[in-house]
Amino acid sequence: MYRRMSKSKISYDEAGMLSELTRSYLRGENSVKELYEFESTSENALAIIKFRENNTPTNREVLVNALSKQYENFSIAKQVKKNIASLIKQNTYTVTTGHQLNLFTGPLYFIYKIISAIEAAKGLNKKHPSYHFVPVYWMATEDHDFEEINHTYVNGKKITWESDQTGMVGEFSLDGIENVVSELENVLGSSLAKDEVVDLIKAAYLNHDNLAEATRYLVNSLFENEGLVIVDGNNSKLKAQFSTVVKDELFRQSSFTLVSDTISKFSDKFKAQVAPREINLFYVKDGIRERIIRDEDGFYVNETEIRFSESEINTELSQFPERFSPNVILRPVYQEVILPNIMYIGGGAEVAYWLELKSTFDYHKVSYPLVQIRNSFLILNEASSKLKIADTKFWFYKEHEQVRSLLIDDHPFQDQLNEHKTEIDIKIKALITELEVFDPELIRSLKSTKVGLLKELKRLDTKIMRSVKRKSDVKMNRLNTVRNYTHPNGVFQERRVNFIDLYVSHGSNFLKIIKDNTEPFTNEVFVLKVG
């Protein structure tokens, strides 16, 4: 059953989220305008299309053939099949998001990113009907940091998949994962929705050979009716399109110089999201994915005995392009080389590192897309209504600020203490003026007295607040209940909770709730409350 929700929103600035670099970008400040091509608006989609036509022709035939091959063993919905076929046409473009292959999709924002891409594509199709826009999820199958993706949190419990496999996680065998699925079943309560989602997880993880296939099945099952196309960049034919960039990276290390130069020009208030290496490539083969490093004798693969002379690595690249894997600096360039993409949708950290890369795109004559932040959500449970909070900003306060705001009406001395502080400040300033004439040496003593008085008032305020908490058990218990839902273990909900929790609460309608409340091309956080 679709459960009605009310929605409010707040800016990222008010919510206190994201880095200063990302927020400056979202505000359109002059200090970051040289870091991107066009502002991310639906109108500028046409500008990016024209820019792509002049700069980055896509080998659409290779792309469609690779995608058709990747979907060979999957049941494909009509809209997905239609979207893949449409990519051969010159008027079809993609709206892309990407993410790691987290266990059972990992935190909620994985789902929010994909829905943001789907809804952005829908909006562009309505606004520019002479073109066709396809939503794409780029699977980070080549990632090798297993510890980042091998766990998730369901019903407050951490579920972890242990494995001693190495190399690209997309190729990890799923042997033994049935124990993890069993643990998931035990963690969940009993409900019809629980059975539905567990059946989906079983179909994904128990009926496929590796993590990439399982993730494709799961994401496809959730979004196939939306026409979402799933791309695995770990493909020799697609990698061959990227060989020119790889060769430049090996022999010129251009991206290191270009990105380092961009970062060096950052304002003091900005911090780099990622730092480039001299060679931003990994070598992948037989269960390894390790950095390629150059020395006076040629090239070697970190933590291995593998070495190449210059001519040998040229041959290796020509014969086995799939063995060269871009890191975070070059993966965006790879994506834009093989996809007819006009927009990338990511989280705050992704937006920040994309802003480091424009000079690298320009150098390789690759079109730089619109960069759009994903929609962000905070979902409140029914218990939140009992707190009677009218100000949306409350949900983004730190815990001690929420407590003080909630209990302010129960603190009869708050206003008096503030008045005393103001009075002390006024009186001391007046005395200082008099002492400047009478005996300036006493001013230091007076200022010290003022500091001591204010400290004592602060201590008194803390003691009063403790007393207020003790006498406001009902409010505090309600706040703790809600905060455990919105910030489990002190972590913002969407960065910890798995979609399974909300699926169990709302059934598959959970996805519809998010889709109905998604607003493409907006830079705000949405708060949804059960009606």
Side-chain angles (χ1 to χ4, degrees), residues 325-350:
S325 176
N327 74 355
V328 66
I329 295 291
L330 285 181
R331 189 209 59 76
V333 181
Y334 175 41
Q335 171 190 296
E336 298 302 310
V337 165
I338 67 173
L339 292 177
N341 195 54
I342 56 104
M343 176 186 291
Y344 184 78
I345 295 178
E350 288 174 289

Side-chain angles (χ1 to χ4, degrees), residues 423-461:
E423 287 175 8
I424 288 171
D425 190 56
I426 293 171
K427 296 287 187 184
I428 298 292
K429 283 181 179 177
L431 278 172
I432 287 174
T433 301
E434 294 177 18
L435 286 175
E436 280 177 342
V437 176
F438 178 69
D439 188 348
E441 301 234 345
L442 294 174
I443 290 176
R444 184 182 301 171
S445 175
L446 184 57
K447 287 182 176 179
S448 177
T449 300
K450 173 186 172 182
V451 171
L453 284 170
L454 292 178
K455 281 183 178 179
E456 286 304 317
L457 285 176
K458 186 174 181 180
R459 288 193 191 99
L460 178 60
D461 185 42

Side-chain angles (χ1 to χ4, degrees), residues 66 108-109 292 329 338 383:
L108 275 169
Y109 66 82
I292 299 173
I329 295 291
I338 67 173

